[in-house]
Every structure is written in structure tokens, then in C-alpha cells.
Amino acid sequence: MISGMRFEYTDGCNKDFISLCHALDDFLNQLVGGEENRAEYVPYNTLDDIRNVIVVYDGDRAIGCASFKRYDEVCAEVKRVFICDEYRGKGISRELMKRLEKLAREKGYDYFILESGEPLIAAMGLYRAIGYQVIPNYGPYVDMSESVCMKKKL
């Protein structure tokens, strides 16, 4: 357990999760030079179908999140993984992903898939370190050359 951190299991309507997703969007916009440079991805990051969310708290402050949504009968898609800047590098995202994978297994999923990109150096490093393998781009990302899609057996 990450000392002093609380992991709350919730859904896509959680106000802290929504706030963290806005912070994630701001981070991504800054990384790529504005929302217009990632406009093709925006439609795939809505919270409409997200029912499985974990929010990490340091005291009363929401400092990170991760979620997944159903992709098909055996596979769920990881969505909206984010840790506030000052909390990065402390192992929180690794613990968050471990808990998210356990939750998905409990819900009957066999695999996680996700979409990321090489500019997200820390995220890509984490996913590779915890066993995600690059796969051909799936679904809406098939024709997006900047996307890197990954998969892991749970």
C-alpha cells in the first residue's frame, strides 16, 4: 500500500474523477501544443460509458485516477489514467493499474487494451514495465499513426 493514500472505487460520474480528467486533458493539450493538435482523439475520451473508476486520494485531495470500459465480451479498455504532477514517480500509477487490473478480472474480463503514445514517456514506460505489449492499432485508432495500442492478459 502506498503510505497515506486512499484508493476509492467509484464510477464515471464521480466529481473528483471528472476534475482529474479535465486536468489530464490540460496536460495532454500542453504536451502537444493545444487541443487542436489532438482533436481527433477527443471524441474517444468521453466519460459516457465509464462505469469502473478508481480515484486516488492524499487526504481529501484527489491526486490520480484510472478507469476502464467494456470493449467486448473478454476485453476492457483502459481509459483516463492520470497522476497529478507532484505525485508522479512514487509508484502510485503502478499500484493504481494493479488495482484496476484486479477489478477487471473480478468483472470477468481476460484482457486489457489501451491507447497511448510515445510523447507520454512515463506512461509508456509504466505500461511496458507491467507487461503490456504493443499490438496493431484497434477500433478508432486504426488510422491514427501517432497512436500506440497495447494489450495485456489479466
Side-chain angles (χ1 to χ4, degrees):
M1 173 84 178
I2 306 290
S3 180
M5 299 290 158
R6 177 171 51 92
F7 293 78
E8 182 176 309
Y9 294 73
T10 185
D11 61 33
C13 297
N14 178 285
K15 67 178 178 48
D16 291 327
F17 174 64
I18 293 167
S19 178
L20 287 164
C21 287
H22 291 307
L24 170 57
D25 289 335
D26 291 344
F27 168 77
L28 293 171
N29 290 341
Q30 185 176 18
L31 185 69
V32 300
E35 185 172 7
E36 63 276 3
N37 292 327
R38 60 180 205 89
E40 64 186 327
Y41 293 92
V42 172
Y44 308 113
N45 288 321
T46 65
L47 306 182
D48 300 345
D49 297 330
I50 296 180
R51 293 174 181 78
N52 296 283
V53 173
I54 304 174
V55 177
V56 185
Y57 292 87
D58 181 7
D60 291 333
R61 180 180 177 206
I63 58 98
C65 62
S67 63
F68 66 84
K69 68 180 188 178
R70 180 184 188 277
Y71 186 75
D72 62 29
E73 294 76 27
V74 298
C75 192
E77 183 180 21
V78 176
K79 301 298 288 184
R80 312 311 286 172
V81 179
F82 181 71
I83 302 292
C84 291
D85 190 49
E86 63 270 29
Y87 288 89
R88 294 181 191 151
K90 301 178 184 309
I92 298 166
S93 59
R94 184 180 290 261
E95 179 66 21
L96 191 54
M97 289 301 295
K98 182 174 116 182
R99 289 169 181 252
L100 199 68
E101 290 170 359
K102 181 177 185 286
L103 180 60
R105 280 192 307 273
E106 290 170 356
K107 299 274 183 182
Y109 293 104
D110 296 326
Y111 297 93
F112 257 165
I113 56 173
L114 61 84
E115 183 275 335
S116 192
E118 292 302 341
L120 296 162
I121 296 165
M124 292 296 293
L126 169 69
Y127 298 141
R128 287 182 174 113
I130 61 175
Y132 286 78
Q133 302 291 319
V134 174
I135 60 170
N137 287 5
Y138 61 86
Y141 310 109
V142 167
D143 295 323
M144 295 185 189
S145 61
E146 301 291 315
S147 288
V148 177
C149 293
M150 304 178 96
K151 185 174 188 176
K152 180 180 180 181
K153 178 153 180 46
L154 301 174

Coordinates of all heavy atoms in Angstrom, one line a residue, residues 16-48 50 65 67 79-85 88 115 120 141:
D16 N -14.7 14.1 -8.5 CA -13.2 14.2 -8.5 C -12.6 13.5 -9.7 O -11.6 14.0 -10.2 CB -12.7 13.5 -7.2 CG -13.0 14.3 -5.9 OD1 -13.1 15.5 -6.0 OD2 -13.2 13.7 -4.9
F17 N -13.2 12.4 -10.2 CA -12.7 11.8 -11.4 C -12.9 12.7 -12.6 O -12.0 12.9 -13.4 CB -13.5 10.5 -11.6 CG -13.2 9.8 -13.0 CD1 -11.9 9.3 -13.2 CD2 -14.2 9.7 -13.9 CE1 -11.7 8.7 -14.5 CE2 -13.9 9.1 -15.1 CZ -12.7 8.6 -15.4
I18 N -14.0 13.4 -12.7 CA -14.3 14.3 -13.8 C -13.2 15.5 -13.7 O -12.7 15.9 -14.7 CB -15.7 14.9 -13.7 CG1 -16.7 13.7 -14.0 CG2 -15.9 16.0 -14.7 CD1 -18.1 14.0 -13.7
S19 N -13.0 16.0 -12.5 CA -12.0 17.1 -12.4 C -10.6 16.6 -12.8 O -9.9 17.3 -13.5 CB -12.0 17.5 -10.9 OG -11.0 18.5 -10.7
L20 N -10.2 15.4 -12.4 CA -8.9 14.8 -12.8 C -8.8 14.6 -14.3 O -7.8 14.8 -14.9 CB -8.6 13.5 -12.1 CG -8.3 13.7 -10.6 CD1 -8.4 12.4 -9.8 CD2 -6.9 14.3 -10.4
C21 N -10.0 14.3 -14.9 CA -10.0 14.1 -16.4 C -9.8 15.4 -17.1 O -9.1 15.5 -18.1 CB -11.3 13.5 -16.8 SG -11.4 11.7 -16.4
H22 N -10.3 16.5 -16.5 CA -10.0 17.9 -17.1 C -8.5 18.2 -16.9 O -7.9 18.8 -17.8 CB -10.9 18.9 -16.4 CG -12.3 18.8 -16.7 ND1 -12.8 18.8 -18.0 CD2 -13.4 18.7 -15.9 CE1 -14.2 18.7 -18.0 NE2 -14.5 18.6 -16.7
A23 N -8.0 17.8 -15.8 CA -6.5 18.1 -15.6 C -5.7 17.3 -16.6 O -4.7 17.7 -17.1 CB -6.1 17.8 -14.1
L24 N -6.1 16.0 -16.8 CA -5.5 15.2 -17.8 C -5.5 15.8 -19.2 O -4.5 15.9 -19.9 CB -6.1 13.8 -17.9 CG -5.6 12.9 -19.0 CD1 -4.1 12.7 -19.0 CD2 -6.4 11.5 -18.9
D25 N -6.7 16.3 -19.6 CA -6.9 17.0 -20.9 C -6.0 18.2 -21.0 O -5.3 18.4 -22.0 CB -8.3 17.4 -21.1 CG -9.2 16.2 -21.4 OD1 -8.7 15.1 -21.8 OD2 -10.4 16.3 -21.1
D26 N -5.9 19.0 -19.9 CA -5.0 20.2 -19.9 C -3.5 19.7 -20.1 O -2.8 20.3 -20.8 CB -5.1 20.9 -18.6 CG -6.5 21.6 -18.4 OD1 -7.2 21.8 -19.5 OD2 -6.8 22.0 -17.3
F27 N -3.1 18.7 -19.4 CA -1.8 18.1 -19.5 C -1.5 17.7 -21.0 O -0.5 18.0 -21.5 CB -1.6 16.9 -18.6 CG -0.3 16.1 -18.8 CD1 0.9 16.6 -18.4 CD2 -0.4 14.9 -19.4 CE1 2.1 15.9 -18.6 CE2 0.7 14.2 -19.6 CZ 2.0 14.7 -19.2
L28 N -2.4 17.0 -21.6 CA -2.3 16.5 -22.9 C -2.2 17.6 -23.9 O -1.4 17.6 -24.9 CB -3.4 15.5 -23.3 CG -3.4 14.2 -22.6 CD1 -4.7 13.4 -22.9 CD2 -2.2 13.4 -22.9
N29 N -3.1 18.6 -23.7 CA -3.1 19.8 -24.6 C -1.7 20.5 -24.5 O -1.2 21.0 -25.5 CB -4.2 20.8 -24.2 CG -5.5 20.2 -24.6 OD1 -5.7 19.3 -25.4 ND2 -6.6 20.8 -23.9
Q30 N -1.2 20.7 -23.3 CA 0.1 21.3 -23.2 C 1.2 20.5 -23.8 O 2.1 21.0 -24.5 CB 0.4 21.5 -21.7 CG 1.7 22.3 -21.4 CD 1.9 22.5 -19.9 OE1 1.3 21.9 -19.1 NE2 2.8 23.5 -19.6
L31 N 1.1 19.2 -23.7 CA 2.2 18.3 -24.2 C 2.2 18.4 -25.8 O 3.3 18.4 -26.3 CB 1.9 16.8 -23.8 CG 2.9 15.8 -24.2 CD1 4.2 16.0 -23.4 CD2 2.3 14.4 -23.9
V32 N 1.1 18.5 -26.4 CA 1.0 18.5 -27.9 C 0.8 19.9 -28.5 O 0.7 20.0 -29.7 CB 0.0 17.5 -28.4 CG1 0.3 16.1 -27.9 CG2 -1.4 18.0 -28.1
G33 N 0.8 20.9 -27.7 CA 0.7 22.3 -28.2 C -0.7 22.8 -28.5 O -0.9 23.6 -29.4
G34 N -1.7 22.2 -27.7 CA -3.1 22.7 -27.9 C -4.0 21.6 -28.3 O -3.6 20.6 -28.9
E35 N -5.3 21.8 -27.8 CA -6.3 20.8 -28.1 C -6.5 20.5 -29.6 O -6.8 19.4 -30.0 CB -7.6 21.2 -27.5 CG -8.7 20.1 -27.6 CD -10.0 20.4 -26.8 OE1 -10.1 21.5 -26.3 OE2 -10.8 19.6 -26.8
E36 N -6.3 21.6 -30.4 CA -6.5 21.4 -31.9 C -5.5 20.3 -32.4 O -5.8 19.7 -33.4 CB -6.3 22.7 -32.6 CG -4.9 23.3 -32.5 CD -4.6 24.2 -31.3 OE1 -5.5 24.3 -30.4 OE2 -3.5 24.7 -31.2
N37 N -4.4 20.1 -31.7 CA -3.4 19.1 -32.2 C -3.7 17.7 -31.7 O -3.0 16.7 -32.1 CB -2.0 19.5 -31.7 CG -1.5 20.7 -32.4 OD1 -1.8 21.0 -33.6 ND2 -0.7 21.6 -31.7
R38 N -4.8 17.5 -31.0 CA -5.2 16.2 -30.6 C -6.8 16.1 -30.8 O -7.4 15.2 -30.2 CB -4.8 15.9 -29.2 CG -5.3 16.7 -28.1 CD -4.8 16.3 -26.7 NE -5.7 16.8 -25.7 CZ -6.8 16.2 -25.3 NH1 -7.1 15.0 -25.7 NH2 -7.6 16.7 -24.4
A39 N -7.3 16.9 -31.6 CA -8.8 17.0 -31.8 C -9.4 15.6 -32.2 O -10.5 15.3 -31.8 CB -9.1 18.0 -32.8
E40 N -8.6 14.8 -33.0 CA -9.2 13.6 -33.5 C -9.3 12.6 -32.3 O -10.1 11.6 -32.4 CB -8.3 13.0 -34.6 CG -6.9 12.6 -34.2 CD -6.0 12.2 -35.4 OE1 -6.5 11.6 -36.3 OE2 -4.8 12.5 -35.3
Y41 N -8.6 12.8 -31.2 CA -8.7 11.9 -30.1 C -9.8 12.2 -29.1 O -10.3 11.3 -28.4 CB -7.4 11.8 -29.3 CG -6.2 11.3 -30.1 CD1 -5.4 12.1 -30.8 CD2 -6.0 9.9 -30.0 CE1 -4.4 11.5 -31.6 CE2 -5.0 9.3 -30.7 CZ -4.1 10.2 -31.5 OH -3.1 9.6 -32.2
V42 N -10.2 13.5 -29.1 CA -11.2 14.0 -28.1 C -12.5 13.2 -28.1 O -12.9 12.8 -27.0 CB -11.4 15.5 -28.3 CG1 -12.6 16.0 -27.4 CG2 -10.2 16.3 -28.0
P43 N -13.1 12.8 -29.2 CA -14.3 12.0 -29.1 C -14.2 10.7 -28.4 O -15.2 10.1 -28.0 CB -14.7 11.8 -30.6 CG -13.9 12.9 -31.4 CD -12.7 13.1 -30.6
Y44 N -13.0 10.2 -28.3 CA -12.8 8.8 -27.8 C -12.5 8.9 -26.3 O -12.1 7.8 -25.7 CB -11.8 8.0 -28.6 CG -12.1 8.1 -30.0 CD1 -11.3 8.7 -30.9 CD2 -13.3 7.5 -30.5 CE1 -11.6 8.8 -32.3 CE2 -13.6 7.5 -31.8 CZ -12.8 8.2 -32.7 OH -13.1 8.3 -34.0
N45 N -12.5 10.1 -25.7 CA -12.2 10.2 -24.3 C -13.3 10.8 -23.5 O -13.2 11.4 -22.4 CB -10.9 11.1 -24.1 CG -9.7 10.4 -24.6 OD1 -9.5 9.2 -24.3 ND2 -8.8 11.1 -25.3
T46 N -14.6 10.5 -24.0 CA -15.7 10.9 -23.2 C -15.9 9.9 -22.0 O -15.3 8.8 -22.0 CB -17.0 10.9 -24.1 OG1 -17.3 9.6 -24.5 CG2 -16.8 11.8 -25.3
L47 N -16.7 10.4 -21.1 CA -16.9 9.5 -19.9 C -18.2 8.8 -19.9 O -18.5 8.1 -18.9 CB -16.8 10.4 -18.6 CG -15.5 11.3 -18.5 CD1 -15.5 12.1 -17.2 CD2 -14.3 10.4 -18.6
D48 N -18.9 8.8 -21.0 CA -20.2 8.3 -21.1 C -20.3 6.8 -20.7 O -21.3 6.4 -20.0 CB -20.8 8.4 -22.6 CG -20.8 9.8 -23.0 OD1 -20.8 10.8 -22.2 OD2 -21.0 10.1 -24.2
I50 N -18.1 4.9 -19.0 CA -17.1 4.5 -18.0 C -17.9 4.3 -16.7 O -18.5 5.2 -16.1 CB -16.0 5.6 -17.8 CG1 -15.2 5.6 -19.1 CG2 -15.1 5.2 -16.6 CD1 -14.0 6.6 -19.1
C65 N -6.2 9.0 -11.0 CA -7.3 8.2 -11.4 C -7.0 7.2 -12.5 O -5.9 7.4 -13.2 CB -8.5 9.1 -11.9 SG -8.1 10.1 -13.3
S67 N -9.4 4.2 -15.1 CA -10.7 3.6 -15.3 C -10.6 2.7 -16.5 O -9.6 2.6 -17.2 CB -11.7 4.7 -15.6 OG -11.4 5.4 -16.8
K79 N -8.9 3.6 -19.7 CA -9.1 5.0 -20.0 C -8.7 5.9 -18.9 O -8.8 5.5 -17.7 CB -10.6 5.2 -20.3 CG -11.2 4.3 -21.4 CD -10.6 4.5 -22.8 CE -11.0 5.8 -23.4 NZ -10.5 6.0 -24.8
R80 N -8.3 7.1 -19.3 CA -8.1 8.2 -18.4 C -7.2 8.0 -17.2 O -7.6 8.2 -16.0 CB -9.5 8.7 -17.9 CG -10.5 8.9 -19.1 CD -10.0 9.7 -20.2 NE -9.9 11.1 -19.9 CZ -9.4 12.0 -20.7 NH1 -8.9 11.7 -21.9 NH2 -9.3 13.3 -20.4
V81 N -6.1 7.4 -17.4 CA -5.1 7.2 -16.4 C -4.3 8.5 -16.2 O -3.8 9.1 -17.1 CB -4.1 6.1 -16.7 CG1 -3.1 5.9 -15.6 CG2 -4.9 4.8 -17.0
F82 N -4.3 9.0 -14.9 CA -3.6 10.3 -14.7 C -3.2 10.4 -13.2 O -3.9 10.0 -12.3 CB -4.6 11.5 -15.0 CG -4.0 12.8 -14.8 CD1 -3.1 13.3 -15.6 CD2 -4.5 13.6 -13.7 CE1 -2.5 14.6 -15.4 CE2 -4.0 14.9 -13.5 CZ -3.0 15.4 -14.3
I83 N -2.0 11.0 -13.0 CA -1.5 11.3 -11.7 C -1.0 12.7 -11.7 O -0.3 13.1 -12.6 CB -0.3 10.4 -11.3 CG1 -0.7 8.9 -11.3 CG2 0.3 10.8 -9.9 CD1 -1.6 8.4 -10.3
C84 N -1.5 13.5 -10.7 CA -1.0 14.9 -10.6 C 0.5 15.0 -10.6 O 1.2 14.1 -10.0 CB -1.6 15.6 -9.4 SG -3.4 15.8 -9.5
D85 N 1.0 16.0 -11.2 CA 2.5 16.1 -11.5 C 3.3 15.9 -10.2 O 4.3 15.1 -10.3 CB 2.8 17.5 -12.1 CG 4.2 17.6 -12.5 OD1 4.7 16.7 -13.3 OD2 4.8 18.6 -12.2
R88 N 3.9 12.2 -9.2 CA 4.5 11.2 -10.2 C 5.8 10.7 -9.7 O 6.5 11.3 -8.9 CB 4.7 11.8 -11.5 CG 3.3 12.2 -12.2 CD 3.4 12.8 -13.5 NE 2.1 13.3 -13.9 CZ 1.8 14.3 -14.7 NH1 2.9 14.9 -15.2 NH2 0.6 14.7 -14.9
E115 N -4.8 2.7 -25.5 CA -4.2 3.5 -26.5 C -3.4 4.6 -25.8 O -3.8 5.2 -24.8 CB -5.2 4.2 -27.4 CG -4.7 5.0 -28.5 CD -4.3 6.5 -28.1 OE1 -4.9 7.0 -27.2 OE2 -3.5 7.0 -28.8
L120 N 4.1 10.4 -24.4 CA 3.8 10.1 -23.0 C 4.8 9.1 -22.4 O 4.5 7.9 -22.2 CB 2.3 9.5 -22.9 CG 1.3 10.5 -23.3 CD1 0.0 9.8 -23.6 CD2 1.1 11.6 -22.2
Y141 N -8.5 3.9 -33.5 CA -7.1 4.3 -33.6 C -6.4 3.7 -34.8 O -5.2 4.0 -35.1 CB -6.4 4.0 -32.3 CG -7.1 4.5 -31.1 CD1 -7.8 3.6 -30.3 CD2 -7.2 5.9 -30.9 CE1 -8.4 4.1 -29.1 CE2 -7.9 6.3 -29.8 CZ -8.5 5.4 -28.9 OH -9.2 5.9 -27.8

